[in-house]
């Protein structure tokens, strides 16, 4: 029995010695607690115009034939959001969506914008009448603007320009 007690004492002394070598913890034991928190977001119907490239008819001489060019609009809307893209008449004096006007001083060059490659459907800004419709998928969507300068009496040489406003209604 004394052999057993001696072994126990030696074991106890060894445990105490090892415990003294461990980092000092002020006698406190580590404790944890757990909680949860909510994470949320509300996505509202929204659209943005990512880009609208310049429609450039280039350098022309006498306007005896149609001059056709295109540009691209990039529209991004939230998924499932229906929208309409409208193009106004521009800033040229006396312009309409059917006959827009690039100007250089008092001189003008007529042109039109269309929704189709055949240039048969004028692209305007009246929702439900002459706009382009789409439904958002959350990604950027591309739309081609088909432009045409028809044959016309050629005005004086110069740099002609116009500014068309793109409106996305959703």
């Amino acid at each position: 029995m004394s052999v057993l007690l001696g072994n126990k004492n030696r074991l106890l002394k060894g445990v105490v010695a090892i415990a003294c070598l461990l980092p000092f913890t002020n006698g406190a034991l580590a404790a944890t607690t757990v909680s949860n928190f909510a994470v949320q977001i509300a996505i509202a119907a929204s659209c943005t115009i990512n880009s609208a490239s310049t429609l450039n008819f280039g350098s022309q001489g006498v306007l005896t034939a149609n001059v056709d060019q295109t540009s691209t609009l990039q529209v991004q809307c939230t998924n499932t959001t229906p929208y309409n893209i409208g193009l106004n008449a521009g800033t040229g004096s006396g312009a309409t969506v059917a006959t827009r006007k690039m100007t250089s001083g008092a001189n003008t060059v007529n042109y039109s914008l269309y929704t189709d490659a055949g240039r048969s459907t004028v692209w305007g800004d009246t929702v439900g009448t002459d706009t382009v419709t789409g439904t958002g998928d959350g990604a950027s969507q591309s739309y081609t603007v088909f432009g045409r300068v028809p044959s016309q009496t050629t005005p004086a040489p110069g740099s002609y320009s116009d500014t068309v406003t793109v409106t996305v209604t959703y």
Side-chain angles (χ1 to χ4, degrees), residues 15-170:
V15 168
V16 169
I18 290 172
C20 289
L21 296 176
L22 294 176
F24 187 69
T25 62
N26 285 335
L29 296 176
T32 61
T33 186
V34 177
S35 183
N36 298 310
F37 65 93
V39 178
Q40 61 188 35
I41 186 171
I43 303 292
S46 179
C47 291
T48 186
I49 301 167
N50 291 336
S51 67
S53 67
T54 299
L55 176 59
N56 188 343
F57 290 104
S59 180
Q60 305 296 322
V62 178
L63 299 174
T64 58
N66 292 337
V67 180
D68 293 341
Q69 287 297 332
T70 62
S71 71
T72 303
L73 304 174
Q74 298 253 331
V75 175
Q76 185 172 4
C77 294
T78 49
N79 195 24
T80 71
T81 300
Y83 60 90
N84 288 276
I85 304 169
L87 304 179
N88 77 349
T91 57
S93 179
T96 65
V97 292
T99 305
R100 292 171 167 96
K101 297 181 182 288
M102 291 181 275
T103 60
S104 177
N107 298 315
T108 62
V109 172
N110 295 333
Y111 74 101
S112 294
L113 302 176
Y114 301 92
T115 62
D116 61 310
R119 290 168 174 81
S120 61
T121 305
V122 171
W123 196 332
D125 62 354
T126 304
V127 173
T129 301
D130 56 7
T131 58
V132 171
T133 62
T135 300
D137 64 5
S140 187
Q141 296 173 308
S142 293
Y143 293 89
T144 301
V145 179
F146 299 92
R148 172 172 284 167
V149 172
S151 64
Q152 58 194 285
T153 301
T154 307
S159 293
Y160 291 77
S161 64
D162 189 18
T163 302
V164 174
T165 300
V166 180
T167 302
V168 177
T169 304
Y170 57 94

